[in-house]
Amino acid sequence: MILQSVKIRPAFVEVKMTKILQKYDSNKSKKLEPDQVKQLLTDMDISTPPGTEPSQEELDWVLKVADVSGDGSIDANELTEAMGCWQTFVDNRERLQQVMAKFDVSKSGTLSKAEVRPYLVELNGGNEVTDEEVDMVFKAADAKGDGVLSLTELSQATVFWYGHVERRKECCSIL
């Protein structure tokens, strides 16, 4: 199965995030600027040869998704999201590349709404998805706002879809 999560105690996470922030915050600003985030992501990625930096698109995606304050950097409150998004992407990169190859019929390197729909149907066990669901996934995952999903955004779309399905199950199980 793609994109699984692990539950960890909040106090443990806070201590770990503080240590990570201190390690990579070379200018002691109490946040990570893009070059420091790039180093963190490089060190986290064990799926590529050591020292392989994320692409500019990958770095921009992590910053866009995790930088809630909008200051162009990652603070202690945003670090867990940044690392989680990156780790989920790295852990599933190969599978996401296969998905992109299968559903990118236009061979553009991105997925349009029309190309994402069959992927969501596949994730949905062959059951159709509504236009509203496709729009909802795009709204949540299209970090660049360009109307298509890149490989990194496909990771976010997949996570969002699984969350949507779980919320739908919880809602219906109450009835």
Side-chain angles (χ1 to χ4, degrees), residues 116-127:
V116 165
R117 179 182 297 278
Y119 174 54
L120 296 179
V121 168
E122 183 176 284
L123 292 180
N124 203 31
N127 297 313

